[in-house]
Amino acid sequence: MTSRIRARFWDPTGNRYGIPTYPWNMTPPHLRTLRQLTAEGLRPGEQGIQGQVLWCSRRHGSTSVHAAYLYDVRFALPIRPRSPRRRAKTSVRRTCPECLTDVDYVLPRHLGVCADCAEAAAA
């Protein structure tokens, strides 16, 4: 049964599906999914989709086909660093204006302070 499914999704020229299509675990070594590129510290850059992986759902009674798009790692670019402006904005929203400590969460707007300062003010 698995060989029929693999044969159904095997289209490296793109004649049947419009773009090169491969079954699960049969992609060429230079093609990666977006998650794989991100794990390697890369992004697709300006390249378009180079292919796709298709597989059938393994849930009982489901006949859906899933797809993951592939990008060429040879044309991938490094991930851009986060902007300092965005980093500063996040740290401002995490710093309590009363005790001036950097908490590990974004301050709730309805309190405006950290949970410890809100408890102290309520008591």
Side-chain angles (χ1 to χ4, degrees), residues 23-45:
W24 186 260
N25 281 340
M26 293 187 69
T27 59
H30 65 280
L31 295 178
R32 307 269 197 288
T33 63
L34 190 58
R35 284 189 179 187
Q36 290 170 331
L37 285 177
T38 304
E40 294 176 15
L42 300 171
R43 61 185 169 94

Side-chain angles (χ1 to χ4, degrees), residues 19 22 24 33-34 49 51-55 66-71:
I19 58 175
Y22 305 95
W24 186 260
T33 63
L34 190 58
I49 297 169
Q52 66 182 349
V53 175
L54 294 179
W55 70 94
H66 299 278
Y69 297 117
L70 301 171
Y71 302 93

Side-chain angles (χ1 to χ4, degrees), residues 43-61:
R43 61 185 169 94
E46 298 296 321
Q47 68 174 312
I49 297 169
Q50 303 293 319
Q52 66 182 349
V53 175
L54 294 179
W55 70 94
C56 290
S57 175
R58 295 184 68 178
R59 293 182 73 179
H60 180 68

